[in-house]
Amino acid sequence: MNKPIKILICTHSAQTSTGLGATVRNIFKPLLEKYPGKYELHQLGYFHVTDNQFQIPWPIYNTKVIKHPDGRLELDQNDKYGEISFHEVVERIQPDIVFGYGDMWHFNHMLESPLRNTYRMLSYYTIDGQPYFGNLNQDNTTDWGKKLLKTDKLVVLSKFGAEVLKESCPELKDINIDVRYHPIDIRQHKFLSPEGKKELRSKVLPPVIAASDPFIIGWCGRNQFRKQNYKLWETLHYLVYGDYIECNSCKRVTIKEYNHATKSTRVGNLTMYDADYKYDYCWHCKSTDIVLGVPQDNTYMWFHMPKSDNFYTPEFHERMWQITNKCIYTNGLDQVKGIPEQAVFDIFSSWDCMYYPSGGEGFGNPPYEAMACGVPIVYSNYSSHAEFCKNGGLPVRVTYIPEPHIGIQRSIVDTNHAVEQILKLKRDPELRYKLGASGRNYVAQYSLQAMAVAWDRVFTDMMDSPLPMKNNKMYSTVI
């Protein structure tokens, strides 16, 4: 009998409620079930929590922690992604394959390890924008392209990601890059009728809101610059107050400029438009066939987001945009812990749509999971999530702002267009249903079973190649 293929998974612990943790569960648990005895799994789990809420059938090793005199444990930032622990675990278990999943800073030390030639390296790379240089050198070579030449198998989560790497990094022009979507268990996700949604809302919403026949817009994700969360409160304000005009000629929306200091619509001396513009014609096509926006008092936004994330302060933005009583938050969340998965999917199923204005995603688990629930998505038309959201949602136009050091472009949604697209869904239940059904059918093809076969093919093919130290190709390492 052949020895099992020993894989060391290096990413967020499968016990966390993060997107990376969920993907690890959905890749490897079905793999073990479909191919019993073929694989032996170990994990170096970032941000590992000890309670086995997800029933993980492989050992997970902690990164290092610092114990304070008062007994508190804190993650050792020098070993945040296993920069120290990785070498110790590799020496102990001697894996055939190392599965590094995330951004370059999640697995760079695996590519540069002194032990690099003792294992086959798979980099499952989350490409969340473009370009992907790391650094663009004077001769147009790239730092990240050079680093990725040290991986044995390069896999990304979207065609967008593969194209960005090929276009950004000349070093990778002859490298085969595989694409593997996130596996999903469609059986966990409920596609509800209007009656079923109403019944569910009576259980998950505050009674006063549930009784008002509300229109619920959902958001799920971290609170980060990359996510552009501030657009959530901004867009909700315009919908709730009707602070815009609509054009009967071109069907577009022109939002009214907001004076953040006075917390009111700016009058005169505009900066978003010509200074003397009075909203007496459509800003886009100049037609005077316009109507004033109508306040949507029954519109709410549900934030499935930890308030403890230290970035955009929810209370501040609610007060500034005067929508405090229009925001709902899921209780019991932090950066790595969450509520039971089925409760999350029930929350998603209760929404009328998801609004996802993210500035860039390596994949985008939240809209993918929401689509599985038959929920249509209004999404920023950029990066990996836009690739699948187009099958079950409406895109929003974007402009860009670069990350300060590495130059990756982050999209910024056009609020005019976002309001316009959400209004389309609010006014047209048939469109909501059609997009929801289309999105669910699309993601259903990436079932746990189908993706287990796809991943087995990847790992089996890797094992057909000898270890680097037994091959003519040896990787240079950092000692």
Side-chain angles (χ1 to χ4, degrees), residues 26-69:
N26 285 358
I27 291 174
F28 288 103
K29 289 180 76 172
L31 193 71
L32 291 180
E33 292 167 5
K34 190 167 185 64
Y35 302 97
K38 184 172 180 177
Y39 293 97
E40 177 186 332
L41 302 182
H42 300 258
Q43 184 175 10
L44 178 58
Y46 314 154
F47 315 111
H48 181 54
V49 291
T50 54
D51 54 316
N52 196 13
Q53 61 171 324
F54 295 111
Q55 303 301 305
I56 304 304
W58 58 81
I60 304 177
Y61 313 114
N62 289 301
T63 56
K64 296 190 180 300
V65 296
I66 298 171
K67 187 170 184 177
H68 293 278

Side-chain angles (χ1 to χ4, degrees), residues 374-390:
V375 174
I377 317 297
V378 175
Y379 61 94
S380 51
N381 195 19
Y382 174 66
S383 79
S384 296
H385 67 281
E387 182 174 306
F388 59 79
C389 283
K390 67 184 179 183

Side-chain angles (χ1 to χ4, degrees), residues 59 71 79 119 156 285 366 407 439:
D79 196 39
Y119 51 83
V156 294
C285 75

Side-chain angles (χ1 to χ4, degrees), residues 198-271:
K198 187 174 183 179
E199 181 182 350
L200 178 60
R201 286 178 170 184
S202 68
K203 301 173 183 175
V204 300
L205 283 172
V208 174
I209 297 177
S212 68
D213 190 25
F215 184 78
I216 305 292
I217 306 163
W219 158 260
C220 173
R222 293 287 304 277
N223 185 355
Q224 303 167 320
F225 168 77
R226 174 170 63 83
K227 303 288 188 181
Q228 300 290 292
N229 304 67
Y230 64 93
K231 283 291 183 179
L232 299 166
W233 296 286
E234 177 184 325
T235 305
L236 180 60
H237 164 88
Y238 284 106
L239 290 164
V240 168
Y241 287 92
D243 208 14
Y244 53 84
I245 59 172
E246 290 186 85
C247 178
N248 289 322
S249 297
C250 71
K251 309 302 181 185
R252 295 179 70 178
V253 163
T254 304
I255 60 171
K256 295 182 179 180
E257 186 171 336
Y258 193 65
N259 186 330
H260 297 80
T262 63
K263 303 188 293 299
S264 61
T265 303
R266 185 180 294 278
V267 178
N269 296 317
L270 302 186
T271 57

